[in-house]
Amino acid sequence: MPVKRTDKTPMPVREPEMRARDFDEVNEGYCFSHAMFEAERCLRCQDPVCIDGCPVRVPIADFMHAIAAGNMPKASEILRTANPLAAICGRVCPQESQCELKCHMTKRFGPVAIGHLERFVSDWEMEQPVNEEVLEPWRDEKIAIVGSGPSGLVCAGELARMGYHVTVYEALHAPGGVLRYGIPEFRLPNNILDWEIDSLRRLGVEFINNVIIGKTIQLEALFGEMGYSAVFIGTGAGLPKFMGIPGESLNGVYSANEFLTRINLMQAFEFPRAETPLKVGKRVAVIGSGNTAMDAVRSALRLGAEHAMVVYRRSENEMTARIEEYEHAIEEGVEFHWLTNPIEVLGEDGWVTGLKCMRMELGEPDESGRARPVPIEGSEFVFPVDNVVLSIGTRPNPLLSKATPGLKTHSWGGLLVDERQVEQQQ
Amino acid sequence: MVKIVEKRQLTPITKLYRVEAPLIAKAASAGQFVIVRVREGGERIPLTITDYDREKGLLTIVVQEVGATTRRLGRLEEGEEILDMVGPLGEAPEIPAGGHIVGVGGGYGSAALLCLMRELKDRGEKTTIIMGAREKDLLILSDELGEICDNVEICTDDGSAGFKGFVTERLQELIDGAGPGRPDYVIAIGPMPMMRAVEKTTRAAGIANTASLDPLMIDGTGMCGGCRVTIGGEVKFACVDGPFFDAHEVDFDEAVSRSKMYVKEEQQAAACQRTTAGAS
């Protein structure tokens, strides 16, 4: 078969002027001919290294072949077997630093658009008739999953396929964890998440919302009186970090978690029809450069900010967001202030009025291997802003480990597990 | 969904609900709270647990209608259901044993003291409650609290019942030796200005004082950080580190300012609710 040496097929997107005003999905998805053309770009390598770049080892080349041959049921089956959340991963995985980084096409022509094709297959699947029959577990053992974020969902799906009774406990009123409260609908629409969760329900997985393990039910009770043979703890990294600079508790300062939760989980963009409010002023500064920062800053634009800015102490090269989110943010008019470190949030009458920053320059590499940002003496200046959103990372949520004395943790809050990275014995 | 098995109107704007919430009732301790949501698209709001019955699996909450969500909740009747309820959240307060423990409750705050004072009484403490309201008809649960506590001090602004004046004035009299006498420990639950005034009174008298803070919250698990309060110069999350904090260490200026963040939006939501209610 001839190999088509062409560039990566671009993802069709909605016009920036239009999409920056609403929360509808930005990417429109490939059409069938796009997808077949793109799948044909796959070189059918003898040694498909792309699979090494995938944390769940999706047999990428195989589903590429199936798409190229127009055999969608087969592509879907291959993909679904390896990745129960393909519709989500196709949208939010950082492919450029995983599978697509390894692709042999990457250097000369740009990688095969593995992520876009993963999404294409899932979108096709969603249009197929659904078998409403719920799979009955055939094993006796019950397994509890704590937290319905990405890891909990995947684990639930795998275990249900193995025949176990699986119950997923979620603290919030809707399942999905960070996929629900964190990632905005313009990147991951709720109906996609709902569809994935419904597929898990059909595998027999039971979802129970509004239960906090460690508060409503203790971990010991899951093993004891409730009779679970095993518990998967997927409580995630849901504790926002603050910078510890003056002014962080002023009105108008949000953690990215709070900012995004108000929008995504609580639908603040429909206020007052939805009753959870959010204050978004004309000038919004988001601190950080990860995907969450991009989500927050682009949400701010959509909620009417005239100047939505990213403020980051390192440079563009050290930015951690997916390249696609960064490009979309630029197209939509987000302003980027690199090598700029906030040192104080300024306020008046309890409300944010400005963000005092220092200019930075890059020095020697630090422990993360990235160039260390060093403040430039006397470079202090003030951005006038109405909101500051802190998106500088999160830590493991300590609620369960605090409530369960026998559960051992690292000093940074992560659970200690055995050498297989799996188990903690009680 | 949580079913309402009993509803009592305590004042024109204060309602008591007993609801079927066996898991929460089983796990609850005095001083903890729940978060509820009343309808799709509705807010998540924290409500203090007034009482719990582990055997029957019932939880008691008291709601004062102040905003769109609490008004919507207040319209629910026996047999109807509350959409979402999660808890128990927060930590129970650690009240030192021995001595005279005085609970000061303002408005619906008295309800939050109910099971807390009973636990203290059961522990063998000498207990007094000072409860205040604008007028007699706005006092809540005074009979129930009267049965639990050794002493009940009722205060009304207009003198229609008990002591005429603020709870802090009566508290000062106790400190000075009146009635059941000087407190060794004070628990304040109520509106922010009241807790602030209580703190001022106990600080001057050198009496230990804990206060139950109820800042704005969303998830209640420490995930959003919206409920942050500054305690002794350190940022704490009221949902997981609280809701009880050493009142003498609380930055009340900040807490008051943060509690007013959405005053305008609350009015907007209430106006929208009235419009839609009128249309339906």
Side-chain angles (χ1 to χ4, degrees):
Chain A
M1 194 180 282
V3 173
K4 297 199 170 56
R5 301 268 159 85
T6 53
D7 290 342
K8 183 176 178 177
T9 311
M11 167 62 80
V13 292
R14 295 169 61 223
E15 286 303 315
E17 302 75 38
M18 293 302 292
R19 72 190 194 223
R21 293 182 203 153
D22 63 39
F23 280 82
D24 294 344
E25 193 170 14
V26 168
N27 286 351
E28 294 178 305
Y30 283 162
C31 62
F32 205 78
S33 56
H34 274 146
M36 283 183 75
F37 182 80
E38 183 61 24
E40 285 268 334
R41 291 181 66 234
C42 175
L43 295 172
R44 278 68 161 158
C45 304
Q46 289 290 318
D47 170 26
V49 284
C50 47
I51 195 170
D52 298 330
C54 176
V56 294
R57 299 191 67 79
V58 169
I60 294 161
D62 294 351
F63 92 84
M64 293 292 143
H65 293 187
I67 299 171
N71 188 347
M72 291 308 292
K74 187 167 178 210
S76 152
E77 191 197 320
I78 295 167
L79 188 55
R80 195 56 44 188
T81 311
N83 185 356
L85 297 183
I88 293 169
C89 293
R91 288 174 164 81
V92 303
C93 255
Q95 290 92 5
E96 77 263 18
S97 56
Q98 297 182 342
C99 52
E100 293 182 15
L101 177 70
K102 301 266 181 177
C103 176
H104 285 310
M105 292 278 282
T106 300
K107 278 192 186 138
R108 287 182 60 194
F109 304 103
V112 175
I114 301 168
H116 296 341
L117 288 169
E118 183 178 28
R119 172 195 159 141
F120 174 74
V121 175
S122 310
D123 287 357
W124 173 86
E125 249 184 277
M126 274 185 264
E127 285 170 9
Q128 305 313 303
V130 168
N131 178 4
E132 288 296 343
E133 206 175 317
V134 175
L135 192 69
E136 282 289 321
W138 59 87
R139 294 181 197 249
D140 293 334
E141 293 93 338
K142 299 194 321 179
I143 298 177
I145 310 274
V146 183
S148 66
S151 79
L153 293 181
V154 172
C155 186
E158 301 277 317
L159 291 167
R161 276 196 197 88
M162 289 162 74
Y164 293 102
H165 291 258
V166 182
T167 313
V168 180
Y169 290 99
E170 167 56 43
L172 292 170
H173 58 258
V178 72
L179 305 171
R180 177 80 61 185
Y181 72 72
I183 302 179
E185 294 215 51
F186 57 79
R187 205 148 75 81
L188 176 64
N190 277 343
N191 64 335
I192 306 287
L193 177 57
D194 291 338
W195 183 83
E196 295 274 30
I197 288 167
D198 282 342
S199 342
L200 292 173
R201 284 203 177 97
R202 286 192 296 275
L203 285 174
V205 176
E206 182 189 13
F207 286 88
I208 300 183
N209 299 327
N210 293 321
V211 168
I212 303 174
I213 304 303
K215 286 285 180 192
T216 319
I217 300 172
Q218 293 302 321
L219 191 56
E220 293 90 334
L222 290 177
F223 283 113
E225 63 205 69
M226 297 182 75
Y228 288 101
S229 309
V231 177
F232 174 80
I233 300 175
T235 46
L239 190 75
K241 283 187 195 165
F242 287 84
M243 292 185 77
I245 59 176
E248 279 182 324
S249 290
L250 285 163
N251 288 349
V253 181
Y254 293 99
S255 73
N257 272 9
E258 181 184 358
F259 192 77
L260 291 169
T261 299
R262 284 178 180 271
I263 296 166
N264 302 329
L265 178 72
M266 306 309 293
Q267 288 141 26
F269 56 87
E270 294 199 338
F271 183 84
R273 208 154 60 78
E275 285 161 354
T276 303
L278 180 67
K279 290 271 193 188
V280 177
K282 297 284 172 231
R283 302 176 62 90
V284 179
V286 175
I287 302 169
S289 77
N291 289 320
T292 310
M294 300 302 146
D295 288 345
V297 78
R298 294 169 68 197
S299 295
L301 268 185
R302 283 158 172 77
L303 290 167
E306 285 165 12
H307 293 276
M309 305 175 252
V310 162
V311 176
Y312 185 48
R313 65 198 175 111
R314 299 178 195 261
S315 76
E316 190 179 0
N317 294 330
E318 288 80 28
M319 177 192 70
T320 55
R322 288 175 90 222
I323 197 77
E324 188 183 36
E325 311 314 329
Y326 176 47
E327 287 168 359
H328 286 173
I330 291 174
E331 288 165 12
E332 289 166 12
V334 170
E335 300 161 26
F336 287 84
H337 299 278
W338 308 110
L339 293 167
T340 306
N341 193 35
I343 50 173
E344 185 178 354
V345 185
L346 306 174
E348 230 176 82
D349 301 326
W351 286 88
V352 175
T353 56
L355 185 63
K356 190 173 179 186
C357 300
M358 278 189 95
R359 298 282 184 210
M360 311 293 275
E361 56 192 352
L362 292 177
E364 295 297 304
D366 62 12
E367 59 273 17
S368 72
R370 299 181 294 179
R372 181 190 301 276
V374 184
I376 300 172
E377 287 290 321
S379 65
E380 291 89 343
F381 69 101
V382 174
F383 281 121
V385 293
D386 305 304
N387 291 102
V388 173
V389 180
L390 291 134
S391 180
I392 53 166
T394 55
R395 286 179 292 137
N397 192 316
L399 196 146
L400 180 61
S401 46
K402 256 172 78 181
T404 317
L407 211 54
K408 297 180 225 35
T409 58
H410 292 280
S411 55
W412 48 270
L415 294 179
L416 275 162
V417 287
D418 64 10
E419 65 280 1
R420 292 183 305 135
Q421 297 288 306
V422 174
E423 196 173 16
Q424 181 172 116
Q425 294 288 350
Q426 285 286 305
Chain B
M1 296 284 244
V2 168
K3 194 176 169 193
I4 297 166
V5 296
E6 186 191 336
K7 179 183 184 179
R8 262 167 69 195
Q9 178 126 2
L10 301 179
T11 79
I13 56 159
T14 318
K15 276 128 200 187
L16 177 145
Y17 289 104
R18 292 184 92 199
V19 299
E20 278 174 7
L23 289 174
I24 304 175
K26 195 176 158 195
S29 294
Q32 289 186 295
F33 62 95
V34 292
I35 285 182
V36 302
R37 198 171 70 119
V38 185
R39 65 157 189 128
E40 287 300 335
E43 268 194 289
R44 292 169 63 95
I45 57 159
L47 293 171
T48 307
I49 294 170
T50 296
D51 209 351
Y52 52 85
D53 184 332
R54 295 207 170 120
E55 319 248 289
K56 293 193 181 128
L58 298 178
L59 199 73
T60 308
I61 51 170
V62 169
V63 184
Q64 184 167 359
E65 295 176 25
V66 288
T69 305
T70 44
R71 263 197 293 278
R72 206 182 290 281
L73 182 52
R75 285 206 298 266
L76 293 181
E77 301 298 334
E78 278 176 20
E80 291 188 300
E81 288 174 323
I82 297 172
L83 181 61
D84 296 295
M85 179 179 285
V86 63
L89 296 162
E91 300 290 334
E94 284 173 24
I95 316 274
H100 179 202
I101 299 170
V102 175
V104 185
Y108 65 99
S110 306
L113 280 162
L114 188 78
C115 62
L116 188 55
M117 295 312 281
R118 191 181 53 226
E119 278 186 12
L120 292 167
K121 180 71 191 157
D122 290 347
R123 216 169 74 179
E125 312 292 353
K126 176 183 172 187
T127 55
T128 296
I129 179 151
I130 305 177
M131 54 190 299
R134 228 172 39 239
E135 54 182 71
K136 188 178 174 220
D137 291 345
L138 297 179
L139 288 164
I140 57 166
L141 302 175
S142 51
D143 293 345
E144 287 84 348
L145 283 159
E147 280 170 35
I148 290 164
C149 301
D150 295 318
N151 312 286
V152 178
E153 302 286 334
I154 286 174
C155 309
T156 49
D157 296 2
D158 65 356
S160 51
F163 176 84
K164 181 175 188 297
F166 296 127
V167 286
T168 38
E169 295 173 79
R170 186 59 187 157
L171 176 62
Q172 186 59 55
E173 289 188 354
L174 263 62
I175 291 170
D176 296 334
R182 182 184 162 90
D184 294 301
Y185 196 88
V186 171
I187 306 165
I189 309 184
M192 204 71 86
M194 184 216 85
M195 293 196 284
R196 184 178 210 162
V198 169
E199 189 278 327
K200 215 172 152 190
T201 310
T202 55
R203 180 158 32 109
I207 295 170
N209 183 185
T210 188
S212 172
L213 302 184
D214 61 342
L216 300 166
M217 273 182 203
I218 304 178
D219 60 294
T221 64
M223 184 272 281
C224 84
C227 65
R228 57 196 187 277
V229 287
T230 303
I231 310 294
E234 220 184 306
V235 174
K236 298 276 183 190
F237 291 178
C239 67
V240 286
D241 300 320
F244 289 88
F245 294 102
D246 181 346
H248 301 314
E249 299 285 338
V250 173
D251 182 339
F252 278 104
D253 282 338
E254 182 188 280
V256 168
S257 165
R258 285 185 68 78
S259 73
K260 290 181 180 159
M261 192 169 345
Y262 299 105
V263 169
K264 211 176 85 197
E265 285 75 13
E266 278 159 21
Q267 288 161 356
Q268 254 178 288
C272 174
Q273 185 189 22
R274 278 194 297 276
T275 320
T276 41
S280 64

Coordinates of all heavy atoms in Angstrom, one line a residue, chain A residues 327-381:
Chain A
E327 N -2.5 26.6 21.7 CA -2.8 27.2 20.4 C -4.2 27.8 20.4 O -4.5 28.9 19.9 CB -2.6 26.2 19.3 CG -1.2 25.9 19.1 CD -0.9 24.7 18.2 OE1 -1.9 24.0 17.8 OE2 0.2 24.4 17.9
H328 N -5.2 27.0 20.9 CA -6.6 27.5 21.0 C -6.7 28.7 21.8 O -7.4 29.6 21.5 CB -7.5 26.4 21.5 CG -7.7 25.3 20.5 ND1 -8.4 24.1 20.8 CD2 -7.4 25.2 19.2 CE1 -8.5 23.4 19.7 NE2 -7.8 24.0 18.7
A329 N -6.0 28.7 22.9 CA -6.0 29.9 23.8 C -5.5 31.1 23.1 O -6.1 32.2 23.2 CB -5.2 29.6 25.1
I330 N -4.4 31.0 22.4 CA -3.9 32.1 21.6 C -4.9 32.6 20.6 O -5.2 33.8 20.5 CB -2.5 31.8 20.9 CG1 -1.4 31.5 22.0 CG2 -2.1 32.9 20.0 CD1 -0.1 31.0 21.5
E331 N -5.4 31.7 19.8 CA -6.4 32.1 18.8 C -7.6 32.8 19.4 O -8.2 33.7 18.8 CB -7.0 30.8 18.1 CG -6.0 30.1 17.2 CD -6.5 28.7 16.9 OE1 -7.7 28.3 17.1 OE2 -5.7 27.9 16.3
E332 N -8.0 32.4 20.6 CA -9.1 33.0 21.2 C -8.8 34.4 21.9 O -9.7 35.1 22.3 CB -9.7 32.1 22.3 CG -10.4 30.9 21.6 CD -10.7 29.7 22.6 OE1 -10.6 29.9 23.8 OE2 -11.0 28.6 22.1
G333 N -7.5 34.7 21.9 CA -7.2 36.1 22.4 C -6.7 36.1 23.9 O -6.6 37.2 24.5
V334 N -6.3 35.0 24.4 CA -5.7 35.0 25.7 C -4.3 35.6 25.6 O -3.5 35.4 24.7 CB -5.5 33.5 26.2 CG1 -4.7 33.5 27.5 CG2 -6.9 32.9 26.5
E335 N -4.0 36.4 26.7 CA -2.7 37.1 26.7 C -1.7 36.3 27.6 O -2.1 35.8 28.7 CB -2.8 38.5 27.3 CG -3.8 39.4 26.5 CD -4.3 40.6 27.3 OE1 -3.6 41.0 28.2 OE2 -5.4 41.0 26.9
F336 N -0.5 36.1 27.1 CA 0.5 35.3 27.9 C 1.6 36.2 28.4 O 2.2 37.0 27.7 CB 1.0 34.2 27.1 CG 0.0 33.1 26.8 CD1 -0.9 33.2 25.8 CD2 0.0 32.0 27.7 CE1 -1.9 32.2 25.6 CE2 -0.9 31.0 27.5 CZ -1.9 31.1 26.5
H337 N 1.8 36.1 29.7 CA 2.9 36.9 30.3 C 3.9 35.9 30.9 O 3.7 35.4 32.0 CB 2.4 37.8 31.4 CG 1.4 38.9 30.8 ND1 1.8 40.0 30.2 CD2 0.1 38.9 30.7 CE1 0.8 40.7 29.8 NE2 -0.3 40.0 30.1
W338 N 4.9 35.6 30.2 CA 5.9 34.6 30.6 C 6.9 35.3 31.5 O 7.1 36.5 31.6 CB 6.7 34.0 29.4 CG 5.8 33.5 28.4 CD1 5.6 34.0 27.1 CD2 4.9 32.3 28.5 NE1 4.7 33.2 26.4 CE2 4.3 32.2 27.3 CE3 4.7 31.4 29.5 CZ2 3.4 31.1 27.0 CZ3 3.8 30.3 29.2 CH2 3.2 30.2 28.0
L339 N 7.7 34.5 32.3 CA 8.8 35.0 33.1 C 8.2 36.1 34.1 O 8.9 37.1 34.2 CB 10.0 35.4 32.3 CG 10.7 34.3 31.6 CD1 11.6 34.8 30.5 CD2 11.4 33.4 32.6
T340 N 7.1 35.9 34.6 CA 6.4 36.9 35.4 C 5.9 36.2 36.7 O 5.1 35.2 36.6 CB 5.2 37.5 34.7 OG1 5.7 38.0 33.4 CG2 4.6 38.6 35.5
N341 N 6.4 36.5 37.8 CA 6.1 35.8 39.1 C 5.2 36.7 40.0 O 5.7 37.8 40.4 CB 7.3 35.4 39.8 CG 7.0 34.4 40.9 OD1 6.1 33.6 40.8 ND2 7.7 34.4 42.0
P342 N 4.0 36.3 40.3 CA 3.2 37.1 41.2 C 3.8 37.1 42.6 O 4.2 36.1 43.1 CB 1.9 36.4 41.2 CG 1.9 35.5 40.1 CD 3.3 35.1 39.9
I343 N 3.8 38.3 43.3 CA 4.3 38.3 44.7 C 3.3 38.8 45.6 O 3.4 38.6 46.8 CB 5.6 39.1 44.8 CG1 5.5 40.5 44.1 CG2 6.8 38.4 44.2 CD1 6.7 41.4 44.4
E344 N 2.2 39.4 45.1 CA 1.2 39.9 46.1 C -0.1 40.2 45.3 O -0.1 40.7 44.2 CB 1.7 41.2 46.8 CG 0.7 41.7 47.8 CD 1.2 42.9 48.6 OE1 2.3 43.4 48.3 OE2 0.4 43.5 49.4
V345 N -1.2 39.8 45.9 CA -2.5 40.2 45.4 C -2.9 41.5 46.1 O -3.0 41.5 47.3 CB -3.6 39.2 45.6 CG1 -4.9 39.6 44.8 CG2 -3.1 37.8 45.0
L346 N -3.2 42.6 45.3 CA -3.5 43.8 45.9 C -5.0 44.0 46.0 O -5.7 43.5 45.1 CB -2.9 45.0 45.1 CG -1.4 44.9 44.9 CD1 -0.9 46.0 44.0 CD2 -0.6 45.0 46.2
G347 N -5.5 44.7 47.0 CA -7.0 44.8 47.1 C -7.4 46.1 47.7 O -6.6 46.9 48.3
E348 N -8.7 46.4 47.6 CA -9.3 47.5 48.2 C -10.7 47.1 48.7 O -11.5 46.5 47.9 CB -9.5 48.6 47.1 CG -9.0 50.0 47.5 CD -9.1 50.9 46.3 OE1 -10.2 51.5 46.1 OE2 -8.1 51.1 45.6
D349 N -11.1 47.5 49.9 CA -12.4 47.1 50.5 C -12.7 45.6 50.4 O -13.8 45.2 50.1 CB -13.5 47.9 49.8 CG -13.3 49.4 49.9 OD1 -12.8 49.8 50.9 OD2 -13.7 50.1 49.0
G350 N -11.6 44.8 50.5 CA -11.8 43.4 50.5 C -11.8 42.8 49.1 O -11.9 41.5 49.0
W351 N -11.7 43.6 48.0 CA -11.8 43.0 46.7 C -10.5 43.2 46.0 O -9.8 44.2 46.2 CB -12.9 43.7 45.9 CG -14.3 43.3 46.3 CD1 -15.0 43.8 47.2 CD2 -15.0 42.2 45.7 NE1 -16.2 43.1 47.3 CE2 -16.2 42.1 46.4 CE3 -14.7 41.3 44.7 CZ2 -17.2 41.2 46.1 CZ3 -15.7 40.3 44.4 CH2 -16.9 40.3 45.1
V352 N -10.2 42.3 45.1 CA -8.9 42.3 44.3 C -8.9 43.6 43.4 O -9.9 43.9 42.7 CB -8.8 41.1 43.4 CG1 -7.6 41.2 42.5 CG2 -8.8 39.8 44.2
T353 N -7.8 44.2 43.4 CA -7.6 45.3 42.4 C -6.4 45.1 41.5 O -6.3 45.7 40.4 CB -7.5 46.7 43.1 OG1 -6.4 46.6 44.0 CG2 -8.8 47.1 43.9
G354 N -5.5 44.4 42.0 CA -4.2 44.2 41.2 C -3.4 43.0 41.5 O -3.6 42.4 42.6
L355 N -2.5 42.7 40.7 CA -1.6 41.6 40.9 C -0.2 42.1 40.8 O 0.2 42.6 39.7 CB -1.8 40.5 39.9 CG -1.0 39.2 40.1 CD1 -1.3 38.5 41.5 CD2 -1.2 38.2 39.0
K356 N 0.6 42.2 41.9 CA 1.9 42.7 41.9 C 2.9 41.5 41.5 O 2.8 40.5 42.1 CB 2.3 43.2 43.3 CG 3.6 44.0 43.3 CD 3.7 44.6 44.7 CE 5.0 45.4 44.8 NZ 5.2 45.9 46.2
C357 N 3.7 41.8 40.5 CA 4.6 40.7 40.0 C 6.0 41.2 39.9 O 6.3 42.4 39.9 CB 4.1 40.3 38.5 SG 2.5 39.7 38.4
M358 N 6.9 40.2 39.7 CA 8.3 40.5 39.4 C 8.6 39.9 38.1 O 8.2 38.8 37.8 CB 9.2 40.0 40.5 CG 9.3 40.8 41.7 SD 10.6 40.2 42.8 CE 12.0 41.1 42.2
R359 N 9.5 40.5 37.3 CA 10.0 39.9 36.1 C 11.1 38.8 36.5 O 11.8 39.1 37.5 CB 10.6 40.9 35.2 CG 9.7 41.9 34.7 CD 8.8 41.4 33.5 NE 8.0 42.5 33.0 CZ 6.8 42.2 32.5 NH1 6.3 41.0 32.4 NH2 6.0 43.2 32.0
M360 N 11.1 37.8 35.7 CA 12.1 36.7 36.1 C 13.0 36.5 34.9 O 12.7 36.8 33.7 CB 11.3 35.4 36.3 CG 10.2 35.5 37.3 SD 10.7 35.8 39.0 CE 11.0 34.2 39.5
E361 N 14.2 35.8 35.1 CA 15.0 35.3 34.1 C 15.4 33.9 34.4 O 15.3 33.5 35.5 CB 16.2 36.2 33.9 CG 17.1 36.3 35.1 CD 18.2 37.4 35.0 OE1 18.3 37.9 33.9 OE2 18.8 37.7 36.0
L362 N 15.7 33.1 33.3 CA 16.0 31.7 33.6 C 17.4 31.5 34.0 O 18.4 32.0 33.3 CB 15.6 30.9 32.3 CG 14.1 30.9 32.0 CD1 13.9 30.1 30.7 CD2 13.3 30.2 33.1
G363 N 17.6 30.7 35.0 CA 19.0 30.4 35.5 C 19.3 28.9 35.2 O 18.8 28.3 34.2
E364 N 20.0 28.3 36.1 CA 20.5 26.9 36.0 C 19.2 26.0 36.2 O 18.3 26.4 36.8 CB 21.5 26.6 37.1 CG 22.8 27.3 37.0 CD 23.5 27.0 35.7 OE1 23.7 25.8 35.5 OE2 23.8 27.9 34.9
P365 N 19.3 24.8 35.6 CA 18.2 23.8 35.8 C 18.0 23.5 37.3 O 18.9 23.4 38.1 CB 18.6 22.6 35.1 CG 19.7 23.0 34.2 CD 20.4 24.2 34.8
D366 N 16.7 23.4 37.7 CA 16.4 23.0 39.1 C 16.1 21.5 39.2 O 16.4 20.8 38.3 CB 15.2 23.9 39.6 CG 13.9 23.6 38.8 OD1 13.9 22.6 38.1 OD2 12.9 24.3 39.0
E367 N 15.6 21.1 40.4 CA 15.4 19.7 40.6 C 14.4 19.0 39.6 O 14.5 17.8 39.4 CB 14.9 19.4 42.1 CG 13.6 20.1 42.5 CD 13.8 21.5 43.0 OE1 14.9 22.1 42.8 OE2 12.9 22.0 43.6
S368 N 13.5 19.9 39.0 CA 12.6 19.3 38.0 C 13.3 19.2 36.6 O 12.7 18.7 35.7 CB 11.4 20.1 37.9 OG 11.6 21.4 37.3
G369 N 14.5 19.7 36.6 CA 15.3 19.6 35.3 C 15.0 20.8 34.4 O 15.6 20.9 33.3
R370 N 14.1 21.6 34.8 CA 13.7 22.8 34.0 C 14.5 24.0 34.5 O 15.0 24.0 35.7 CB 12.2 23.1 34.1 CG 11.4 22.0 33.6 CD 9.9 22.3 33.7 NE 9.4 22.4 35.1 CZ 8.2 22.7 35.4 NH1 7.3 22.9 34.5 NH2 7.8 22.8 36.7
A371 N 14.8 25.0 33.6 CA 15.6 26.1 34.0 C 14.9 26.9 35.2 O 13.7 27.1 35.2 CB 15.7 27.1 32.8
R372 N 15.7 27.2 36.2 CA 15.1 27.8 37.4 C 14.8 29.3 37.1 O 15.7 30.0 36.6 CB 16.1 27.7 38.6 CG 15.6 28.3 39.9 CD 16.7 28.3 40.9 NE 17.3 27.0 41.2 CZ 16.8 26.2 42.1 NH1 15.7 26.5 42.8 NH2 17.3 25.0 42.3
P373 N 13.6 29.7 37.4 CA 13.3 31.2 37.2 C 13.9 32.0 38.4 O 13.8 31.6 39.5 CB 11.8 31.3 37.2 CG 11.3 30.0 37.9 CD 12.4 29.0 37.9
V374 N 14.6 33.0 38.0 CA 15.3 33.9 39.1 C 14.7 35.3 38.9 O 14.7 35.8 37.8 CB 16.8 33.9 38.8 CG1 17.5 34.7 39.9 CG2 17.4 32.5 38.7
P375 N 14.3 35.9 40.1 CA 13.7 37.2 40.0 C 14.8 38.3 39.6 O 15.9 38.2 40.0 CB 13.3 37.5 41.4 CG 13.8 36.4 42.3 CD 14.3 35.3 41.4
I376 N 14.3 39.2 38.8 CA 15.2 40.3 38.4 C 14.9 41.5 39.4 O 13.8 42.0 39.6 CB 14.8 40.8 37.0 CG1 15.0 39.7 36.0 CG2 15.6 42.0 36.6 CD1 14.5 39.9 34.6
E377 N 16.0 41.8 40.1 CA 15.9 42.9 41.1 C 15.2 44.2 40.6 O 15.5 44.6 39.5 CB 17.3 43.3 41.6 CG 18.0 42.2 42.5 CD 17.4 42.1 43.9 OE1 17.0 43.2 44.4 OE2 17.2 41.0 44.4
G378 N 14.4 44.7 41.4 CA 13.8 46.0 41.1 C 12.8 46.0 39.9 O 12.4 47.0 39.4
S379 N 12.3 44.8 39.5 CA 11.4 44.7 38.4 C 10.0 44.7 38.7 O 9.1 44.3 37.9 CB 11.8 43.5 37.5 OG 11.5 42.3 38.2
E380 N 9.6 45.0 40.0 CA 8.2 44.9 40.4 C 7.3 45.8 39.6 O 7.7 46.9 39.3 CB 8.1 45.3 41.9 CG 8.7 44.3 42.9 CD 10.2 44.6 43.2 OE1 10.8 45.3 42.4 OE2 10.7 44.1 44.2
F381 N 6.2 45.3 39.3 CA 5.1 46.1 38.6 C 3.8 45.5 38.9 O 3.7 44.4 39.5 CB 5.4 46.1 37.1 CG 5.1 44.8 36.4 CD1 3.9 44.6 35.7 CD2 6.0 43.7 36.5 CE1 3.7 43.3 35.2 CE2 5.8 42.5 36.0 CZ 4.6 42.3 35.3

